[in-house]
Amino acid sequence: MQKLGLGEYELSEDEWPLVKQLRDVLKILKDVTLYFSCSTPNLAMVIPAMDHIDQVFTNCILKKELPEPAIHAALGLAKCTLNRYYSLTDKYKVYQIAMVLHRQHKLSHFRSVGWEQQWIEAAE
């Protein structure tokens, strides 16, 4: 690394555990990105994907094996950003309509992730 003048950017032994934790946490975003890029996704999969990302982030925050405060803080910010986008799906009823019309989801997804009954009734 010294030959290229990049030695100062080499990770120390103390930094590698943080990088590994960050890699593990960010894997869900890679998986979802690949799904929506390579597969034949449809609108009805947006809300379940967002719910899944939220669940993974929540589980990571609650884990005791992630001692790095920076990762906890980043996950908290990521959840805030995800919630902001999630709330935008309320603005456009097409997301709920796509879910209700989807043969696999119908209203079962909304119930399984704990939507309030009045929200489920509104989606009907």
Side-chain angles (χ1 to χ4, degrees):
M1 282 247 220
Q2 291 293 24
K3 289 181 183 179
L4 299 174
L6 300 175
E8 66 185 278
Y9 301 109
E10 185 175 8
L11 293 175
S12 69
E13 289 299 318
D14 295 337
E15 293 171 315
W16 278 109
L18 175 65
V19 170
K20 289 176 182 174
Q21 288 179 21
L22 191 57
R23 176 205 59 205
D24 295 343
V25 166
L26 294 177
K27 184 180 182 313
I28 184 63
L29 298 178
K30 176 186 174 191
D31 293 345
V32 170
T33 300
L34 290 174
Y35 172 77
F36 280 105
S37 297
C38 300
S39 188
T40 53
N42 57 49
L43 201 54
M45 295 307 297
V46 171
I47 291 176
M50 292 174 91
D51 286 334
H52 182 64
I53 293 169
D54 185 64
Q55 186 63 46
V56 169
F57 285 175
T58 299
N59 289 344
C60 287
I61 288 171
L62 297 175
K63 278 185 180 178
K64 301 297 184 207
E65 305 104 50
L66 295 177
E68 291 296 334
I71 291 184
H72 281 274
L75 283 170
L77 291 171
K79 281 181 62 68
C80 287
T81 301
L82 182 64
N83 288 336
R84 189 175 72 233
Y85 284 110
Y86 198 97
S87 68
L88 290 174
T89 64
D90 291 338
K91 189 175 180 181
Y92 304 100
K93 298 300 179 198
V94 68
Y95 290 100
Q96 288 88 1
I97 292 168
M99 292 285 294
V100 171
L101 294 178
H102 192 277
R103 70 182 188 290
Q104 180 184 352
H105 299 302
K106 303 282 182 203
L107 294 174
S108 64
H109 177 77
F110 298 129
R111 289 185 183 99
S112 70
V113 295
W115 274 34
E116 293 181 20
Q117 185 59 35
Q118 67 186 38
W119 295 352
I120 294 171
E121 290 170 5
E124 282 183 303

